[in-house]
Amino acid sequence: MSDVPVRRAIVTIRLPEGLHLRPLTQLARAAQSYSATVTLQKGGQTVDAKRPLDLMTLAAGCGEQLQLEAAGDDADAAVEAIVRLFESDFADGSP
Amino acid sequence: MLVRRGIAVSPGVAIAKALVLGTETFRIPHQFVRPEAVESEVGRFRSAHAAVCEEIRSNEQLAADHLGKQYGAIFGAHLQLLMDPKLTSEIEQLIRDKFYAPEFAASRVLRKYAKVVQSLGGQYMAERATDLFDLEKRVLRQMLGQRREELANLTCPVIVIARNLTPSETASLDRKHVLGFATEGGGRTSHTAILAGALEIPAVVGLGRFLSDVSTGETLIIDGNVGEVIISPDEATLERYRDQEAKRRTIEERLLTFANVTAETKDGVRVYVMGNIEFPDEVEHCTSRGADGIGLYRTEFLYLQSDREPTEEVHYQAYCRVIDACGGKPVVIRTLDLGADKIPGSFREQFKDQPNSALGLRSIRLSLQNLPLFRTQLRAILRAATRGDVRIMFPLVSTLLEFRQAKMILSDVMEDLQDEGIEFKRDVPVGMMVEVPAAAMLAEEFSREVDFFSIGTNDLIQYTLAVDRADTSVATLYSSGDPSILRLIKLVVEAGRKRGLPVTVCGQMSSDPKFLAVLVGLGMRQISVTPHALPELKALLHHMTIPQAEEIARRAMSFDLARDVENYLRGELKKLSPEATL
């Protein structure tokens, strides 16, 4: 188990309306394209980033920080892509 | 099992499957599937799921093409939610492990998420819950075909659960199949409440958010006596309620034998027991139980049922129906008893910024400030009065001046009708509700000018004890047994007796069996009650003599506290009639 690559990062929500429906589905879609497990943590709550329904229950608002964690062979790429999504404020638009 | 508490607005108990309205209008026919059918049911779910995804995709395309990309994105997000990988496996697991029907499983799972999302609070999350309800609706529609279960097409008994019901929805309800109501919104005076009472089906309103706790097809108990809704009751609870229901039905059937018996005491003193109604249809509920007439016909619904002020013809038709159905027995029509905020038309606009208070512009005060509205109603009453024994009653009269003004307008309307050559009845008795303590204290002065008194205890208690009926935090102060209330009633009865005027009690107090003896003992020879209470009260009368009732009244008047009065009366009721409902 110890040889599974794990990557972590802190992401900040800068969207004025928080992590609302459109960005969270973008996020889930991005996470789903990697084989690594991807989770987001807020406070004590950890959710599966591939599940939009789970992400919704985070109710993450503007300015909040989340801990991103990916575990698996493509963990690096997954974290990189998701961090980029957050940094671009989910700009690519394709939901 | 989950118990939710709301406001009891129509008594009785109903046990049936839930029909959840508003967030879905589908009824799930079966909750469970046979074990051997599990795989084919899972397959049915999968193809429905795929079809819904396809449907959303084409909506997304349509919206994007016609409205712009950002609108399409809304459906794109819905699609993502529905394709949530664990969502489908969770639903399939319920089908496989618990033999849930796919419709029931999908409904349960989507509602579970909706509830979690709702519990997070806030407007945004509330809207997300709505999205999930929408998905549930799509999935159910797919699986159940286009067979939308309208309220009008029910084939088996249900309990209707809704955020709120519109008057037209309630009007179209099928009484044979709708056994009860429960709504998230509404108060004691909401349309739902009024209608449930009129339809005589158990109802609880003002439950707050609970739709997401219930799936269509789940078993519910509605306890309209205490205001509880029990979701998925356990066997013991069901058993208890079924027993209670059976007992109640037996008693009710036995009491119905009193329908044709004259309402009088054991020693032969006649006490007129009349019914309170809201709708013309309810007259039948009264006559079938042997009512001596309609002691209170509330006319508010005429104003609430549409967005326009009712025309004279609308009033007239309703009054004629009631009067004709009564077959010559008295009908007491109470003029408008609403606040300015509830009146349709331009008047509402004018007063929309006024506080809507129990002490504000309402009832007779409102009628006196909106004469066209008042005159329309009076014209209709006077015209309809030619058909039977009609009496007019003004609500919430506080001063003699108000009563005189109202009577003056009545004469004025008569003059108009006469000038126009329209047929009407001139010698209609005109009385007043005694609901304001000031009016009770001046009952003697009023008695020189009115033809009858009717004591509206609901408001009289509210105003005397300064307790808002809608505020549960002060509900314990609200008691019909408060010594102050008994004293005010006594004042009115005595003022009436001196001049030989009829005095009635028409508030909830008179429908409560434990107060019957004290009211009769104080000298009341008329009461007006909710229709379902008629048989029990008539039966109870036959168990008491006037000296007994007078002794009970005398003792009841000697206590200092409402609690002691009520306890004493409860005890006396048990002695008079061991099976009376307490």
Side-chain angles (χ1 to χ4, degrees), chain B residues 48-92:
Chain B
H49 182 262
V52 172
C53 289
E54 195 44 54
E55 179 187 296
I56 297 175
R57 244 179 239 118
S58 70
N59 280 343
E60 177 181 1
Q61 195 57 49
L62 262 175
D65 289 352
H66 293 282
L67 302 168
K69 208 175 168 191
Q70 69 273 36
Y71 291 95
I74 296 169
F75 292 103
H78 280 188
L79 186 61
Q80 283 296 306
L81 290 179
L82 199 58
M83 289 181 26
D84 186 305
K86 276 191 202 146
L87 178 73
T88 44
S89 63
E90 230 176 290
I91 293 171
E92 288 177 15

mmCIF file of all heavy atoms in Angstrom, chain B residues 48-92:
data_model
loop_
_atom_site.group_PDB
_atom_site.id
_atom_site.type_symbol
_atom_site.label_atom_id
_atom_site.label_comp_id
_atom_site.label_asym_id
_atom_site.label_seq_id
_atom_site.Cartn_x
_atom_site.Cartn_y
_atom_site.Cartn_z
ATOM 1 N N ALA B 48 -34.384 2.785 -17.747
ATOM 2 C CA ALA B 48 -35.041 4.053 -17.428
ATOM 3 C C ALA B 48 -33.995 5.135 -17.178
ATOM 4 O O ALA B 48 -34.109 6.264 -17.655
ATOM 5 C CB ALA B 48 -35.929 3.894 -16.204
ATOM 6 N N HIS B 49 -32.956 4.743 -16.451
ATOM 7 C CA HIS B 49 -31.887 5.678 -16.138
ATOM 8 C C HIS B 49 -31.229 6.179 -17.420
ATOM 9 O O HIS B 49 -31.009 7.382 -17.609
ATOM 10 C CB HIS B 49 -30.869 4.978 -15.232
ATOM 11 C CG HIS B 49 -29.745 5.863 -14.797
ATOM 12 N ND1 HIS B 49 -28.520 5.848 -15.430
ATOM 13 C CD2 HIS B 49 -29.661 6.782 -13.825
ATOM 14 C CE1 HIS B 49 -27.728 6.728 -14.850
ATOM 15 N NE2 HIS B 49 -28.395 7.318 -13.857
ATOM 16 N N ALA B 50 -30.940 5.239 -18.316
ATOM 17 C CA ALA B 50 -30.300 5.611 -19.582
ATOM 18 C C ALA B 50 -31.212 6.537 -20.382
ATOM 19 O O ALA B 50 -30.758 7.525 -20.974
ATOM 20 C CB ALA B 50 -29.975 4.353 -20.391
ATOM 21 N N ALA B 51 -32.507 6.224 -20.372
ATOM 22 C CA ALA B 51 -33.451 7.043 -21.135
ATOM 23 C C ALA B 51 -33.532 8.465 -20.564
ATOM 24 O O ALA B 51 -33.597 9.434 -21.320
ATOM 25 C CB ALA B 51 -34.830 6.393 -21.128
ATOM 26 N N VAL B 52 -33.496 8.559 -19.221
ATOM 27 C CA VAL B 52 -33.553 9.886 -18.604
ATOM 28 C C VAL B 52 -32.297 10.672 -18.951
ATOM 29 O O VAL B 52 -32.345 11.864 -19.267
ATOM 30 C CB VAL B 52 -33.747 9.785 -17.075
ATOM 31 C CG1 VAL B 52 -33.616 11.152 -16.430
ATOM 32 C CG2 VAL B 52 -35.106 9.184 -16.752
ATOM 33 N N CYS B 53 -31.144 9.991 -18.920
ATOM 34 C CA CYS B 53 -29.895 10.659 -19.277
ATOM 35 C C CYS B 53 -29.988 11.191 -20.707
ATOM 36 O O CYS B 53 -29.588 12.323 -20.993
ATOM 37 C CB CYS B 53 -28.717 9.698 -19.167
ATOM 38 S SG CYS B 53 -28.314 9.297 -17.465
ATOM 39 N N GLU B 54 -30.540 10.366 -21.573
ATOM 40 C CA GLU B 54 -30.695 10.763 -22.972
ATOM 41 C C GLU B 54 -31.613 11.976 -23.076
ATOM 42 O O GLU B 54 -31.322 12.941 -23.782
ATOM 43 C CB GLU B 54 -31.261 9.566 -23.759
ATOM 44 C CG GLU B 54 -31.141 9.696 -25.264
ATOM 45 C CD GLU B 54 -29.754 10.218 -25.677
ATOM 46 O OE1 GLU B 54 -28.714 9.635 -25.270
ATOM 47 O OE2 GLU B 54 -29.728 11.236 -26.387
ATOM 48 N N GLU B 55 -32.699 11.925 -22.329
ATOM 49 C CA GLU B 55 -33.676 13.024 -22.322
ATOM 50 C C GLU B 55 -33.019 14.327 -21.852
ATOM 51 O O GLU B 55 -33.224 15.387 -22.439
ATOM 52 C CB GLU B 55 -34.812 12.606 -21.376
ATOM 53 C CG GLU B 55 -35.942 13.584 -21.181
ATOM 54 C CD GLU B 55 -36.891 13.080 -20.076
ATOM 55 O OE1 GLU B 55 -37.505 12.011 -20.276
ATOM 56 O OE2 GLU B 55 -37.005 13.733 -19.028
ATOM 57 N N ILE B 56 -32.208 14.214 -20.817
ATOM 58 C CA ILE B 56 -31.557 15.419 -20.297
ATOM 59 C C ILE B 56 -30.547 15.950 -21.320
ATOM 60 O O ILE B 56 -30.436 17.153 -21.529
ATOM 61 C CB ILE B 56 -30.874 15.141 -18.938
ATOM 62 C CG1 ILE B 56 -31.928 14.748 -17.901
ATOM 63 C CG2 ILE B 56 -30.111 16.357 -18.460
ATOM 64 C CD1 ILE B 56 -31.361 14.337 -16.556
ATOM 65 N N ARG B 57 -29.845 15.012 -21.968
ATOM 66 C CA ARG B 57 -28.869 15.422 -22.971
ATOM 67 C C ARG B 57 -29.549 16.212 -24.088
ATOM 68 O O ARG B 57 -29.028 17.237 -24.534
ATOM 69 C CB ARG B 57 -28.172 14.186 -23.548
ATOM 70 C CG ARG B 57 -26.686 14.171 -23.228
ATOM 71 C CD ARG B 57 -26.023 12.923 -23.787
ATOM 72 N NE ARG B 57 -25.416 12.168 -22.717
ATOM 73 C CZ ARG B 57 -25.748 10.941 -22.360
ATOM 74 N NH1 ARG B 57 -26.695 10.294 -23.008
ATOM 75 N NH2 ARG B 57 -25.136 10.353 -21.361
ATOM 76 N N SER B 58 -30.711 15.730 -24.512
ATOM 77 C CA SER B 58 -31.357 16.450 -25.613
ATOM 78 C C SER B 58 -31.919 17.786 -25.116
ATOM 79 O O SER B 58 -31.939 18.767 -25.851
ATOM 80 C CB SER B 58 -32.427 15.589 -26.276
ATOM 81 O OG SER B 58 -33.519 15.424 -25.422
ATOM 82 N N ASN B 59 -32.338 17.834 -23.841
ATOM 83 C CA ASN B 59 -32.748 19.118 -23.265
ATOM 84 C C ASN B 59 -31.578 20.089 -23.240
ATOM 85 O O ASN B 59 -31.726 21.274 -23.499
ATOM 86 C CB ASN B 59 -33.227 18.943 -21.815
ATOM 87 C CG ASN B 59 -34.641 18.424 -21.758
ATOM 88 O OD1 ASN B 59 -35.370 18.481 -22.735
ATOM 89 N ND2 ASN B 59 -35.032 17.900 -20.614
ATOM 90 N N GLU B 60 -30.428 19.545 -22.897
ATOM 91 C CA GLU B 60 -29.225 20.365 -22.798
ATOM 92 C C GLU B 60 -28.929 20.988 -24.163
ATOM 93 O O GLU B 60 -28.669 22.180 -24.267
ATOM 94 C CB GLU B 60 -28.058 19.475 -22.346
ATOM 95 C CG GLU B 60 -26.734 20.208 -22.269
ATOM 96 C CD GLU B 60 -25.599 19.278 -21.851
ATOM 97 O OE1 GLU B 60 -25.845 18.073 -21.633
ATOM 98 O OE2 GLU B 60 -24.467 19.764 -21.741
ATOM 99 N N GLN B 61 -29.032 20.138 -25.186
ATOM 100 C CA GLN B 61 -28.753 20.595 -26.537
ATOM 101 C C GLN B 61 -29.753 21.672 -26.954
ATOM 102 O O GLN B 61 -29.383 22.739 -27.421
ATOM 103 C CB GLN B 61 -28.841 19.391 -27.499
ATOM 104 C CG GLN B 61 -28.227 19.651 -28.853
ATOM 105 C CD GLN B 61 -26.759 20.079 -28.689
ATOM 106 O OE1 GLN B 61 -25.995 19.422 -27.971
ATOM 107 N NE2 GLN B 61 -26.367 21.169 -29.321
ATOM 108 N N LEU B 62 -31.031 21.383 -26.700
ATOM 109 C CA LEU B 62 -32.093 22.329 -27.048
ATOM 110 C C LEU B 62 -31.903 23.674 -26.370
ATOM 111 O O LEU B 62 -31.970 24.727 -27.003
ATOM 112 C CB LEU B 62 -33.447 21.763 -26.592
ATOM 113 C CG LEU B 62 -34.304 21.048 -27.625
ATOM 114 C CD1 LEU B 62 -35.534 20.465 -26.944
ATOM 115 C CD2 LEU B 62 -34.718 22.020 -28.734
ATOM 116 N N ALA B 63 -31.637 23.601 -25.064
ATOM 117 C CA ALA B 63 -31.496 24.831 -24.289
ATOM 118 C C ALA B 63 -30.279 25.609 -24.766
ATOM 119 O O ALA B 63 -30.324 26.837 -24.901
ATOM 120 C CB ALA B 63 -31.388 24.510 -22.805
ATOM 121 N N ALA B 64 -29.202 24.889 -25.028
ATOM 122 C CA ALA B 64 -27.981 25.548 -25.470
ATOM 123 C C ALA B 64 -28.214 26.227 -26.823
ATOM 124 O O ALA B 64 -27.790 27.360 -27.038
ATOM 125 C CB ALA B 64 -26.845 24.539 -25.561
ATOM 126 N N ASP B 65 -28.912 25.543 -27.711
ATOM 127 C CA ASP B 65 -29.146 26.094 -29.040
ATOM 128 C C ASP B 65 -30.049 27.312 -29.004
ATOM 129 O O ASP B 65 -29.831 28.286 -29.709
ATOM 130 C CB ASP B 65 -29.803 25.033 -29.951
ATOM 131 C CG ASP B 65 -28.821 23.947 -30.322
ATOM 132 O OD1 ASP B 65 -27.624 24.113 -29.991
ATOM 133 O OD2 ASP B 65 -29.239 22.933 -30.914
ATOM 134 N N HIS B 66 -31.099 27.216 -28.188
ATOM 135 C CA HIS B 66 -32.117 28.266 -28.242
ATOM 136 C C HIS B 66 -31.904 29.381 -27.230
ATOM 137 O O HIS B 66 -32.301 30.506 -27.467
ATOM 138 C CB HIS B 66 -33.510 27.656 -28.060
ATOM 139 C CG HIS B 66 -33.909 26.794 -29.201
ATOM 140 N ND1 HIS B 66 -34.361 27.295 -30.387
ATOM 141 C CD2 HIS B 66 -33.875 25.453 -29.358
ATOM 142 C CE1 HIS B 66 -34.605 26.314 -31.232
ATOM 143 N NE2 HIS B 66 -34.321 25.176 -30.621
ATOM 144 N N LEU B 67 -31.319 29.032 -26.112
ATOM 145 C CA LEU B 67 -31.233 30.035 -25.049
ATOM 146 C C LEU B 67 -29.803 30.478 -24.783
ATOM 147 O O LEU B 67 -29.573 31.528 -24.215
ATOM 148 C CB LEU B 67 -31.823 29.466 -23.740
ATOM 149 C CG LEU B 67 -33.271 28.998 -23.815
ATOM 150 C CD1 LEU B 67 -33.637 28.192 -22.584
ATOM 151 C CD2 LEU B 67 -34.197 30.195 -23.955
ATOM 152 N N GLY B 68 -28.878 29.667 -25.175
ATOM 153 C CA GLY B 68 -27.482 29.997 -24.892
ATOM 154 C C GLY B 68 -26.828 28.916 -24.069
ATOM 155 O O GLY B 68 -27.502 28.124 -23.400
ATOM 156 N N LYS B 69 -25.520 28.900 -24.140
ATOM 157 C CA LYS B 69 -24.761 27.822 -23.540
ATOM 158 C C LYS B 69 -24.972 27.687 -22.029
ATOM 159 O O LYS B 69 -25.045 26.591 -21.490
ATOM 160 C CB LYS B 69 -23.267 28.070 -23.831
ATOM 161 C CG LYS B 69 -22.474 26.800 -23.879
ATOM 162 C CD LYS B 69 -21.038 27.089 -24.276
ATOM 163 C CE LYS B 69 -20.189 25.861 -24.037
ATOM 164 N NZ LYS B 69 -18.775 26.147 -24.144
ATOM 165 N N GLN B 70 -25.097 28.849 -21.368
ATOM 166 C CA GLN B 70 -25.184 28.768 -19.897
ATOM 167 C C GLN B 70 -26.472 28.075 -19.440
ATOM 168 O O GLN B 70 -26.527 27.462 -18.383
ATOM 169 C CB GLN B 70 -25.016 30.148 -19.238
ATOM 170 C CG GLN B 70 -26.137 31.136 -19.449
ATOM 171 C CD GLN B 70 -25.946 31.934 -20.740
ATOM 172 O OE1 GLN B 70 -25.457 31.418 -21.753
ATOM 173 N NE2 GLN B 70 -26.349 33.193 -20.713
ATOM 174 N N TYR B 71 -27.546 28.165 -20.264
ATOM 175 C CA TYR B 71 -28.780 27.472 -19.899
ATOM 176 C C TYR B 71 -28.649 25.976 -20.139
ATOM 177 O O TYR B 71 -29.139 25.160 -19.364
ATOM 178 C CB TYR B 71 -29.976 28.040 -20.667
ATOM 179 C CG TYR B 71 -30.302 29.434 -20.231
ATOM 180 C CD1 TYR B 71 -29.799 30.531 -20.925
ATOM 181 C CD2 TYR B 71 -31.062 29.642 -19.093
ATOM 182 C CE1 TYR B 71 -30.061 31.814 -20.497
ATOM 183 C CE2 TYR B 71 -31.333 30.928 -18.660
ATOM 184 C CZ TYR B 71 -30.829 32.023 -19.367
ATOM 185 O OH TYR B 71 -31.084 33.285 -18.935
ATOM 186 N N GLY B 72 -27.964 25.651 -21.216
ATOM 187 C CA GLY B 72 -27.704 24.248 -21.482
ATOM 188 C C GLY B 72 -26.921 23.634 -20.334
ATOM 189 O O GLY B 72 -27.151 22.487 -19.935
ATOM 190 N N ALA B 73 -26.024 24.438 -19.766
ATOM 191 C CA ALA B 73 -25.162 23.940 -18.694
ATOM 192 C C ALA B 73 -25.955 23.477 -17.479
ATOM 193 O O ALA B 73 -25.532 22.576 -16.757
ATOM 194 C CB ALA B 73 -24.165 25.025 -18.293
ATOM 195 N N ILE B 74 -27.117 24.076 -17.273
ATOM 196 C CA ILE B 74 -27.945 23.661 -16.138
ATOM 197 C C ILE B 74 -28.307 22.186 -16.292
ATOM 198 O O ILE B 74 -28.196 21.402 -15.353
ATOM 199 C CB ILE B 74 -29.244 24.501 -16.072
ATOM 200 C CG1 ILE B 74 -28.890 25.961 -15.819
ATOM 201 C CG2 ILE B 74 -30.171 23.977 -14.987
ATOM 202 C CD1 ILE B 74 -30.040 26.915 -16.000
ATOM 203 N N PHE B 75 -28.701 21.824 -17.517
ATOM 204 C CA PHE B 75 -29.050 20.423 -17.750
ATOM 205 C C PHE B 75 -27.810 19.546 -17.716
ATOM 206 O O PHE B 75 -27.863 18.400 -17.262
ATOM 207 C CB PHE B 75 -29.790 20.281 -19.081
ATOM 208 C CG PHE B 75 -31.135 20.915 -19.062
ATOM 209 C CD1 PHE B 75 -31.353 22.142 -19.662
ATOM 210 C CD2 PHE B 75 -32.188 20.292 -18.411
ATOM 211 C CE1 PHE B 75 -32.596 22.742 -19.621
ATOM 212 C CE2 PHE B 75 -33.436 20.871 -18.375
ATOM 213 C CZ PHE B 75 -33.644 22.109 -18.977
ATOM 214 N N GLY B 76 -26.703 20.106 -18.191
ATOM 215 C CA GLY B 76 -25.449 19.358 -18.138
ATOM 216 C C GLY B 76 -25.136 18.965 -16.706
ATOM 217 O O GLY B 76 -24.722 17.836 -16.413
ATOM 218 N N ALA B 77 -25.366 19.895 -15.789
ATOM 219 C CA ALA B 77 -25.104 19.623 -14.376
ATOM 220 C C ALA B 77 -26.057 18.556 -13.849
ATOM 221 O O ALA B 77 -25.658 17.654 -13.115
ATOM 222 C CB ALA B 77 -25.238 20.908 -13.576
ATOM 223 N N HIS B 78 -27.327 18.651 -14.263
ATOM 224 C CA HIS B 78 -28.291 17.620 -13.852
ATOM 225 C C HIS B 78 -27.839 16.249 -14.317
ATOM 226 O O HIS B 78 -27.932 15.264 -13.585
ATOM 227 C CB HIS B 78 -29.673 17.912 -14.458
ATOM 228 C CG HIS B 78 -30.427 18.955 -13.708
ATOM 229 N ND1 HIS B 78 -31.733 19.257 -13.981
ATOM 230 C CD2 HIS B 78 -30.054 19.754 -12.692
ATOM 231 C CE1 HIS B 78 -32.135 20.208 -13.163
ATOM 232 N NE2 HIS B 78 -31.126 20.531 -12.383
ATOM 233 N N LEU B 79 -27.336 16.223 -15.526
ATOM 234 C CA LEU B 79 -26.881 14.967 -16.098
ATOM 235 C C LEU B 79 -25.737 14.389 -15.263
ATOM 236 O O LEU B 79 -25.717 13.198 -14.954
ATOM 237 C CB LEU B 79 -26.425 15.212 -17.541
ATOM 238 C CG LEU B 79 -26.054 13.985 -18.345
ATOM 239 C CD1 LEU B 79 -27.229 13.037 -18.476
ATOM 240 C CD2 LEU B 79 -25.557 14.402 -19.730
ATOM 241 N N GLN B 80 -24.827 15.264 -14.866
ATOM 242 C CA GLN B 80 -23.709 14.818 -14.037
ATOM 243 C C GLN B 80 -24.204 14.224 -12.718
ATOM 244 O O GLN B 80 -23.697 13.220 -12.254
ATOM 245 C CB GLN B 80 -22.772 15.996 -13.735
ATOM 246 C CG GLN B 80 -21.888 16.365 -14.892
ATOM 247 C CD GLN B 80 -20.935 15.230 -15.220
ATOM 248 O OE1 GLN B 80 -20.221 14.752 -14.355
ATOM 249 N NE2 GLN B 80 -20.945 14.783 -16.459
ATOM 250 N N LEU B 81 -25.182 14.900 -12.129
ATOM 251 C CA LEU B 81 -25.712 14.409 -10.854
ATOM 252 C C LEU B 81 -26.289 13.014 -11.034
ATOM 253 O O LEU B 81 -26.056 12.113 -10.234
ATOM 254 C CB LEU B 81 -26.810 15.344 -10.329
ATOM 255 C CG LEU B 81 -26.369 16.712 -9.830
ATOM 256 C CD1 LEU B 81 -27.592 17.514 -9.381
ATOM 257 C CD2 LEU B 81 -25.394 16.574 -8.669
ATOM 258 N N LEU B 82 -27.050 12.854 -12.090
ATOM 259 C CA LEU B 82 -27.712 11.580 -12.314
ATOM 260 C C LEU B 82 -26.723 10.488 -12.665
ATOM 261 O O LEU B 82 -26.954 9.310 -12.385
ATOM 262 C CB LEU B 82 -28.743 11.746 -13.444
ATOM 263 C CG LEU B 82 -29.823 10.678 -13.523
ATOM 264 C CD1 LEU B 82 -30.608 10.594 -12.230
ATOM 265 C CD2 LEU B 82 -30.763 10.970 -14.680
ATOM 266 N N MET B 83 -25.599 10.899 -13.263
ATOM 267 C CA MET B 83 -24.603 9.896 -13.644
ATOM 268 C C MET B 83 -23.595 9.647 -12.531
ATOM 269 O O MET B 83 -22.641 8.891 -12.735
ATOM 270 C CB MET B 83 -23.921 10.308 -14.944
ATOM 271 C CG MET B 83 -24.909 10.144 -16.076
ATOM 272 S SD MET B 83 -24.391 10.521 -17.743
ATOM 273 C CE MET B 83 -22.684 10.312 -17.813
ATOM 274 N N ASP B 84 -23.811 10.275 -11.409
ATOM 275 C CA ASP B 84 -22.964 10.029 -10.247
ATOM 276 C C ASP B 84 -22.814 8.515 -10.087
ATOM 277 O O ASP B 84 -23.808 7.804 -9.933
ATOM 278 C CB ASP B 84 -23.641 10.643 -9.026
ATOM 279 C CG ASP B 84 -22.780 10.568 -7.778
ATOM 280 O OD1 ASP B 84 -22.350 9.452 -7.405
ATOM 281 O OD2 ASP B 84 -22.539 11.621 -7.179
ATOM 282 N N PRO B 85 -21.573 8.020 -10.164
ATOM 283 C CA PRO B 85 -21.387 6.571 -10.256
ATOM 284 C C PRO B 85 -21.995 5.791 -9.083
ATOM 285 O O PRO B 85 -22.473 4.674 -9.263
ATOM 286 C CB PRO B 85 -19.875 6.405 -10.322
ATOM 287 C CG PRO B 85 -19.295 7.711 -9.930
ATOM 288 C CD PRO B 85 -20.311 8.762 -10.201
ATOM 289 N N LYS B 86 -21.955 6.386 -7.897
ATOM 290 C CA LYS B 86 -22.464 5.615 -6.770
ATOM 291 C C LYS B 86 -23.981 5.694 -6.635
ATOM 292 O O LYS B 86 -24.595 4.882 -5.967
ATOM 293 C CB LYS B 86 -21.794 6.058 -5.475
ATOM 294 C CG LYS B 86 -20.466 5.359 -5.290
ATOM 295 C CD LYS B 86 -19.897 5.573 -3.910
ATOM 296 C CE LYS B 86 -18.398 5.345 -3.934
ATOM 297 N NZ LYS B 86 -17.704 6.248 -2.997
ATOM 298 N N LEU B 87 -24.544 6.709 -7.263
ATOM 299 C CA LEU B 87 -25.996 6.865 -7.173
ATOM 300 C C LEU B 87 -26.695 5.627 -7.736
ATOM 301 O O LEU B 87 -27.552 5.022 -7.086
ATOM 302 C CB LEU B 87 -26.423 8.113 -7.944
ATOM 303 C CG LEU B 87 -27.938 8.352 -7.968
ATOM 304 C CD1 LEU B 87 -28.427 8.824 -6.622
ATOM 305 C CD2 LEU B 87 -28.322 9.338 -9.056
ATOM 306 N N THR B 88 -26.314 5.250 -8.935
ATOM 307 C CA THR B 88 -26.957 4.099 -9.550
ATOM 308 C C THR B 88 -26.696 2.833 -8.746
ATOM 309 O O THR B 88 -27.595 2.021 -8.553
ATOM 310 C CB THR B 88 -26.476 3.914 -10.998
ATOM 311 O OG1 THR B 88 -25.063 4.088 -11.015
ATOM 312 C CG2 THR B 88 -27.122 4.913 -11.928
ATOM 313 N N SER B 89 -25.461 2.678 -8.252
ATOM 314 C CA SER B 89 -25.180 1.439 -7.521
ATOM 315 C C SER B 89 -25.969 1.409 -6.206
ATOM 316 O O SER B 89 -26.414 0.357 -5.755
ATOM 317 C CB SER B 89 -23.677 1.266 -7.295
ATOM 318 O OG SER B 89 -23.188 2.305 -6.505
ATOM 319 N N GLU B 90 -26.158 2.570 -5.614
ATOM 320 C CA GLU B 90 -26.931 2.618 -4.369
ATOM 321 C C GLU B 90 -28.382 2.176 -4.627
ATOM 322 O O GLU B 90 -28.965 1.420 -3.856
ATOM 323 C CB GLU B 90 -26.949 4.053 -3.845
ATOM 324 C CG GLU B 90 -26.563 4.187 -2.393
ATOM 325 C CD GLU B 90 -26.504 5.651 -1.982
ATOM 326 O OE1 GLU B 90 -25.585 6.366 -2.439
ATOM 327 O OE2 GLU B 90 -27.382 6.071 -1.222
ATOM 328 N N ILE B 91 -28.934 2.668 -5.716
ATOM 329 C CA ILE B 91 -30.323 2.322 -6.057
ATOM 330 C C ILE B 91 -30.433 0.830 -6.370
ATOM 331 O O ILE B 91 -31.308 0.128 -5.869
ATOM 332 C CB ILE B 91 -30.819 3.179 -7.239
ATOM 333 C CG1 ILE B 91 -30.920 4.649 -6.805
ATOM 334 C CG2 ILE B 91 -32.175 2.684 -7.748
ATOM 335 C CD1 ILE B 91 -31.193 5.623 -7.929
ATOM 336 N N GLU B 92 -29.469 0.354 -7.165
ATOM 337 C CA GLU B 92 -29.515 -1.064 -7.545
ATOM 338 C C GLU B 92 -29.348 -1.969 -6.318
ATOM 339 O O GLU B 92 -29.946 -3.038 -6.242
ATOM 340 C CB GLU B 92 -28.437 -1.362 -8.591
ATOM 341 C CG GLU B 92 -28.812 -0.749 -9.933
ATOM 342 C CD GLU B 92 -27.735 -0.940 -11.004
ATOM 343 O OE1 GLU B 92 -26.830 -1.780 -10.791
ATOM 344 O OE2 GLU B 92 -27.813 -0.236 -12.023
#
